[in-house]
Amino acid sequence: MINDKNAQKIVDIIQNFARKHSIWVLAYGTGCGAIEIPPTMTSRYDAERLGVRGAATPRQADVLLVTGYLTVKTLKRVVRVYEQMQDPKYIIGFGSCTINGGMYWDSYNTIKLLDKYMPVDVYINGCMPRPESVLGGFAELEKLIAAGKGDGATE
Amino acid sequence: MNTIYLLFTVLFGGAILTFLLGKLSRILYYIVFLLTMAAAVFVFYAQIRIGDTVNINVDDMQLQWGLTAFGWLFSLMVLGLGLLAAIYSIAYMKGKDRLGYFYLHFLISIGAMLGILLSRDLVSFFIFWEIMTWASYFIVVYSGKDVQKTGIRYILFSAIGAYAMLMAIVIIYGQTNSISIDDLAVNYSTFSTSLQIWIPLLLITAFAVKSALMPLHVWAPGAYANSPMAYTAVFSGALSKMGIYGMVIVFVTLIANLPQGVIIRDIIAWLGAITAVMGTFWAIAQDDAKKLLAYSSIGQLGYIIVGVAIGTSFAMMAALFMAIMHALFKGALFMAVGAVERQAGTTDLTEVTGLIRKMPWTFIASLISIIALAGIPPVGGFVGKWMLYESLISSDHYLLVILIFFASTAGFLYCYKFLFGFFLGQEEKEWEHVKEAPVMMVVPMMLMAVMALILGVFPGILLKPVDVAMQSMGYAETYGHLWSMSVLFNEWGNQVMLEPLFYAIIIVFMVFLVFLVLKGMKGTRYVTTKDISTSGEIPLEHENLTFKGNFFQPFLRAVDPVMKRQIMTYYRQIGDGLEAFFDFIRRVYSGNGQTYAIYVMIFLVILLLLKDSLFG
Amino acid sequence: MGEFFSLLLGAVVTFILAFFVGITYGGLTRIITARVQNRIGPPWYQNLLDIVKLFSKKTAIHHGAMHFMGPAFIMVTAVVSVLVIPVLNEGRWFPNLNFHGDLIFLLYIMTFGPLGMALGAGQTGNPNSAIGVTRGLSQMVGFEIPWVMALVALMIQYQTTSIVDLMTIQVETGTWIAFSSPFAFMAAVMAMFGMFRYAPFDIVGAPSELASGPISENGGKYLFVMMTAGSVFAFAKLTLYVDLFMGGADNLLILVIKTFALYMIPVLYGVINPRYRTEQAIRWFWGWPSFFGLLAILQAVFF
């Protein structure tokens, strides 16, 4: 709607600033990595300082946190959940299982490389990552959003 | 011929003509029926003036028929609703049998209601009252099922009321030797005190049965639910108001002159408030849309009775306004239920679902009517409720205000249940075939809904005839003092200006609706109701995600202690007790000749013993 | 025409004021909740960032026409409430429609929003929304009773139904209505718990209970409208309480202080409480708060 290049840039800056500091994570623990989410959100490693909040349904969420391994069954549901989210949306691959299969590298039932199925923006390494790593991952995501990159669907 | 005779000839003659001519061809049914209704409306509004009277002399009683302003007000409901329901019933009754029977009794009941409004004397009032009950009874049992439960119950309670009325009429005739209502009003204060109390009580019993006041309401849910929806619109819209008509006359002419009248007023007002609350509770518990609306009618009539019983001019205005609004929106709602019943086959709220895309016009009419029922501005029900609250507060009935407000807030629950049950919610495969109702069914509904909307912004349109009617009953004029075209005042000088508020509401609504639709319009796509956030699970076509059963379970659990006892149980217990008593008496007929001989002997002995005191 | 434009301008200014004050209160609530839970919490403008982010969502879904109308209805409630409730003691800076409506109209308009939202949520077909709506409506019946009792007591005692008149009475007599009708104030504050839907009465939209209930299918622009409406409506309700019970406000600073002090009551009570089930909540509202409401009416009638 806005034709002026500079006006578009200003709008983008404001929007990215807001998106950066208000990240709503879908409360969906897909694997055993989800156990590190409660400590991150609660008092000791407060993630709400960064504006990170839990969202109840995919319609309200920005970030899908794929925590850990995905079985084939769960993959089907996670893809559907991802499709139900609204743009702009991001995926954070949480734990080693999303990077190279992690602990279940030779299982018949899990998928090994998340990147082959869904466009991942940020990976957080570890099995399970400590809350400080999780906060670092969110900070990484914030940098991506501020730079205007990471709109995962385009990748 | 005098126009009043013409009116009755048109209606009753037209009824018989419909019945006979329709046997030749079905089209004739529709044509003659509609012509009769249209002719009746024309004759009534074009030819009969207020103040016309007709006298008929039978033996030494003089029957008097004439139109008063108050009767004219109620005739708006009877004829307006009757005409729209007649148009609706053409499409509704398509394909059903025994049409002649239905149309005959429809027209007779309309004629009888007009007769009630036109009678200026008690005997013709009673005659038309009985004709009305009789005709509506036949329509209640039209479908042939539940005749015992609903039909007999209806006739029984109506008979109780009618005989109470007859007793009162006989007493009045014995006292004043005249049957005119005007003479009664004049001579009433000359009766003895006990008669002065008994006569209004008897008359109120009769009218309370028809307007479903607790505890005489037990016939109403079955009767409203069982009759065809085209007639239930008239039944609950206009017929129940005949009870209100009678009650207003009793309260204004009789009880106003009675020193102990205050007690009767309070009792009836409290009964009305309790009816409102309990009717609402029972409506929330219903799963069938017809029963839900029936109980809701009982509740709404409770509000009207409270207004009538309080009796100040403000309260009476509120009650009469609410009566007409109730006819409008309840008529539209019953028609909507009829439309859904015709298209979908059932009116069970736990089964039907998701009709909003398939029957949009029905939905819009129901939505506006439900908003009117709930009493939310800017639609008309708010005006009536506002006036009722203000009149109750300024006449010092504080606890009644709490009860009425409680009933009104709880009313939101069944309003939502009705809308959600039929139109919103999941869209299931078995209702895929449902199409919009035919035009002849939709147009009356929409007309009534739009009128409810207009009356919400410009209530003065309706308040003018109400004011004239009240002036004819002896109240002072209220224009400018309590209302003007679109402003409402109360007795302390506060006001609510409906027009600017209405514009504010509409402007804000449109602004945000347009914003929501236009923002990101290219990026917004339509998804079906199966694409919902169900934790990632993909619901299959046959899976049932409809939440309809045990709706409002938390609320019903919270009010459970109050709903444990039903009044019908007490009536059944009385009935069982009487049956046991009669069973006992039956044993007198033992069939044994020797027992009868003993009876004769005992009788003779008693006669002998008491012969002195009996035969002096 | 000039009057209409000044009214329109006043309405827009009032709306913007209500929006920003409501946003700030939301953010401050989150900080206070966080501090009570021994953590730091987001910055005070966090709700504003949330709202801008929701506005900037690029795609959306809809389930039909009613889905659009749901948030529009709730916005109608919020805006009309702000228009009808006088913001400051003299209407110079924030002229609005407050001479055109009164308390009973306000009562009914305040219930219009949740009902409209319920209709919008109904069309989505999500059973969670339907369950949330039934709970919300049932709870509304619960808290409306002490609220109406308190208001009726006020109406009887001061013989008026206009909010402006009640404010004038407080200015004239110099005492707050909170002190001259204490039972009404207590009943109204207890009803306020239900209105603001903080714990223990937050079962309606609890994320872990039923996937946030009525708002479960609303994201992006719908949630934008709803959060805005929620903030504006919260401000409207608080201003109503301050006008009715705490003497109104002469300037913005006093208004902000009074409304914030009042707002802390449900927030601080809620932050340490678990949830009631719906029927427990309804029965609680019909217990002590209604008793205080009855006492308020008795006091108004006899004293």
Side-chain angles (χ1 to χ4, degrees), chain B residues 319-346:
Chain B
L320 292 176
F321 188 87
M322 283 184 83
I324 301 186
M325 283 303 302
H326 177 246
L328 274 177
F329 62 67
K330 240 344 133 48
L333 281 174
F334 273 116
M335 287 184 187
V337 172
V340 172
E341 180 186 24
R342 214 185 139 68
Q343 301 297 109
T346 170

Side-chain angles (χ1 to χ4, degrees), chain C residues 85-102:
Chain C
I85 299 174
V87 175
L88 292 182
N89 265 339
E90 299 156 31
R92 269 185 315 119
W93 287 105
F94 300 102
N96 52 15
L97 296 173
N98 56 16
F99 283 100
H100 297 235
D102 73 336

Side-chain angles (χ1 to χ4, degrees), chain B residues 80-276:
Chain B
L81 197 54
L83 184 61
L84 289 174
I87 301 176
Y88 176 86
S89 68
I90 303 284
Y92 180 77
M93 303 294 286
K94 203 190 275 273
K96 303 209 186 185
D97 55 339
R98 289 189 299 143
L99 282 182
Y101 172 94
F102 178 78
Y103 290 137
L104 172 75
H105 291 289
F106 191 106
L107 286 172
I108 291 183
S109 69
I110 300 264
M113 282 194 259
L114 281 177
I116 292 176
L117 296 175
L118 286 172
S119 354
R120 305 299 314 141
D121 71 278
L122 292 166
V123 171
S124 44
F125 190 96
F126 180 74
I127 294 176
F128 282 121
W129 187 269
E130 284 297 278
I131 297 180
M132 176 181 79
T133 309
W134 172 81
S136 48
Y137 165 74
F138 275 117
I139 300 192
V140 166
V141 298
Y142 166 83
S143 60
K145 58 180 177 73
D146 280 339
V147 170
Q148 179 77 17
K149 227 170 82 162
T150 56
I152 303 290
R153 220 185 263 186
Y154 176 49
I155 276 281
L156 188 63
F157 277 92
S158 299
I160 294 176
Y163 292 141
M165 194 191 324
L166 191 59
M167 211 167 21
I169 294 176
V170 167
I171 296 178
I172 293 173
Y173 187 70
Q175 292 281 325
T176 64
N177 223 14
S178 120
I179 51 171
S180 157
I181 296 185
D182 299 320
D183 284 346
L184 169 63
V186 165
N187 293 330
Y188 180 65
S189 28
T190 62
F191 295 174
S192 68
T193 315
S194 66
L195 275 186
Q196 277 192 345
I197 298 183
W198 271 109
I199 293 179
L201 279 181
L202 287 170
L203 288 173
I204 288 181
T205 315
F207 299 131
V209 169
K210 265 296 179 290
S211 37
L213 184 65
M214 280 197 170
L216 298 165
H217 68 289
V218 290
W219 59 270
Y224 287 164
N226 237 19
S227 49
M229 288 291 121
Y231 188 66
T232 315
V234 172
F235 201 161
S236 103
L239 215 141
S240 53
K241 307 301 184 306
M242 294 298 122
I244 305 286
Y245 175 77
M247 263 203 216
V248 172
I249 294 184
V250 168
F251 270 103
V252 172
T253 57
L254 302 184
I255 296 195
N257 301 330
L258 184 63
Q260 295 91 342
V262 181
I263 305 179
I264 302 185
R265 277 187 200 276
D266 275 345
I267 295 179
I268 301 290
W270 274 95
L271 277 178
I274 294 177
T275 311

Side-chain angles (χ1 to χ4, degrees), chain B residues 67-85:
Chain B
L67 185 60
T68 62
F70 191 59
W72 191 86
L73 182 72
F74 278 78
S75 76
L76 284 177
M77 273 191 274
V78 173
L79 281 175
L81 197 54
L83 184 61
L84 289 174

